[in-house]
Amino acid sequence: MVKKILANAYIYLILLLIYLPILVIIAFSFTTATNIGQWEGFSFDVYASLFSSDSIDIWIAVGNTLIIAVVSSIVSVVLGTLGAIGVFYMRQKPKKVAETITQIPVVNSEIVMALSLVVMFVFLGTYIFKANLFSFWTLLIGHVVLSLPFVYLSVRPKLQQMDPHLYEAALDLGATPRQGLWKIILPQISPGIFSGFLLAITLSLDDFIITAFTRGAGLLSGNGNIETLSTLIQASIKRGPIPVEMRALTLIIFLIVLAIVIFISVYRQYKSTHKKFRRPKENA
């Protein structure tokens, strides 16, 4: 009984330490005080300021962040899924080599990855293309390189759980390899693909190091360097306090993420319950 109480208390303590800073930021989003800790009265002025023309830089950063995250996640999911399927059907020795190589970026330091990408882009721009390559495309490549191994690791377990005889049976019944891929393999590994997409988009939204090293001009920033939320906050810290509008944006992002998590949980619960009620009817 005592062990159970201590275990629950430890869990709640960890959750409190994780969510307390977020709750503090959300609470101080309803005051116009520059520094957290000072309360100048309850007000929605921060939210009004967030949606005014004075906060255009924040919304440009939000747009850049979302565009990069969505595009890089889609590319990572396509390449990671096809790569996982290809490695899964390899012979044993090449398969082990490929799986070892895909795990290196996961355990490797992100700063090493960023520096290696910078060296590669500088070399290509100096000796081959004779131009400055840093742009949206170099940033996109950096985010894909970051997310791709995690997509692969999300899809691979679903391939291992898959029944391989279904694909073989589909080919025996006249299906082409492409039809077998779309109608047999992909539906079975779709949970892994979806998990990989969520993980990829989270990594991209959260990234700072690779973004700071590989970004260039483009997207909504025009001729200036691409600003994402992480680089904008880092630049703001250098100049002084973080803009108060970022607190309001924190609450908006938190509510959106919370709504997505609740929707996914409810959908999965509905799906599992629907399957339980449907199986007895099918057996009958």
Side-chain angles (χ1 to χ4, degrees):
M1 184 67 180
V2 176
K3 288 184 178 180
K4 187 176 181 181
I5 294 174
L6 291 176
N8 291 333
Y10 176 75
I11 293 172
Y12 290 131
L13 177 62
I14 296 298
L15 292 175
L16 178 64
L17 293 175
I18 292 173
Y19 288 103
L20 183 59
I22 299 175
L23 296 176
V24 170
I25 293 175
I26 291 173
F28 279 91
S29 69
F30 295 100
T31 183
T32 56
T34 303
N35 298 318
I36 292 179
Q38 299 176 352
W39 186 265
E40 297 181 356
F42 186 87
S43 172
F44 289 100
D45 292 344
V46 175
Y47 292 89
S49 177
L50 176 64
F51 290 98
S52 68
S53 58
D54 296 333
S55 301
I56 187 65
D57 291 341
I58 294 177
W59 290 111
I60 288 175
V62 171
N64 288 335
T65 303
L66 292 176
I67 292 171
I68 295 166
V70 172
V71 175
S72 64
S73 299
I74 292 173
V75 175
S76 299
V77 165
V78 173
L79 295 179
T81 302
L82 294 179
I85 294 172
V87 172
F88 180 74
Y89 286 103
M90 278 184 178
R91 289 179 295 179
Q92 198 63 27
K93 288 184 178 180
K95 184 177 181 179
K96 288 183 179 179
V97 174
E99 288 183 346
T100 302
I101 292 174
T102 55
Q103 291 177 6
I104 293 175
V106 177
V107 299
N108 196 13
S109 175
E110 191 174 344
I111 187 65
V112 175
M113 189 184 304
L115 287 173
S116 63
L117 287 170
V118 169
V119 171
M120 182 185 70
F121 294 142
V122 170
F123 175 81
L124 292 175
T126 303
Y127 296 102
I128 297 179
F129 294 99
K130 308 294 183 182
N132 180 19
L133 296 181
F134 290 94
S135 62
F136 164 73
W137 300 107
T138 56
L139 180 56
L140 177 63
I141 292 171
H143 280 240
V144 170
V145 170
L146 173 68
S147 306
L148 185 58
F150 293 93
V151 175
Y152 171 85
L153 293 176
S154 298
V155 175
R156 187 182 65 177
K158 295 301 178 181
L159 286 167
Q160 294 171 342
Q161 298 170 8
M162 180 183 66
D163 185 359
H165 300 296
L166 292 177
Y167 178 72
E168 297 172 1
L171 296 182
D172 292 338
L173 292 173
T176 63
R178 181 179 297 180
Q179 290 174 333
L181 173 66
W182 283 98
K183 296 184 178 181
I184 303 299
I185 296 179
L186 291 181
Q188 291 188 81
I189 65 174
S190 58
I193 296 173
F194 182 68
S195 299
F197 176 78
L198 292 180
L199 188 57
I201 203 168
T202 301
L203 288 169
S204 180
L205 290 171
D206 210 25
D207 178 74
F208 169 75
I209 296 176
I210 288 181
T211 301
F213 276 74
T214 61
R215 63 178 176 157
L219 286 183
L220 303 180
S221 300
N223 295 325
N225 277 342
I226 296 173
E227 289 285 0
T228 63
L229 283 175
S230 58
T231 59
L232 180 65
I233 292 172
Q234 192 269 346
S236 300
I237 292 174
K238 285 184 177 181
R239 295 192 298 265
I242 298 175
V244 294
E245 292 81 10
M246 295 302 299
R247 302 178 204 162
L249 184 62
T250 299
L251 176 57
I252 293 172
I253 294 174
F254 180 78
L255 292 177
I256 292 173
V257 172
L258 182 63
I260 293 173
V261 171
I262 293 175
F263 173 77
I264 293 174
S265 300
V266 171
Y267 176 75
R268 287 180 175 175
Q269 183 67 28
Y270 168 78
K271 199 171 181 181
S272 61
T273 306
H274 186 65
K275 284 183 178 179
K276 289 180 182 178
F277 283 105
R278 189 174 58 181
R279 283 175 182 173
K281 294 181 180 179
E282 291 177 351
N283 294 332

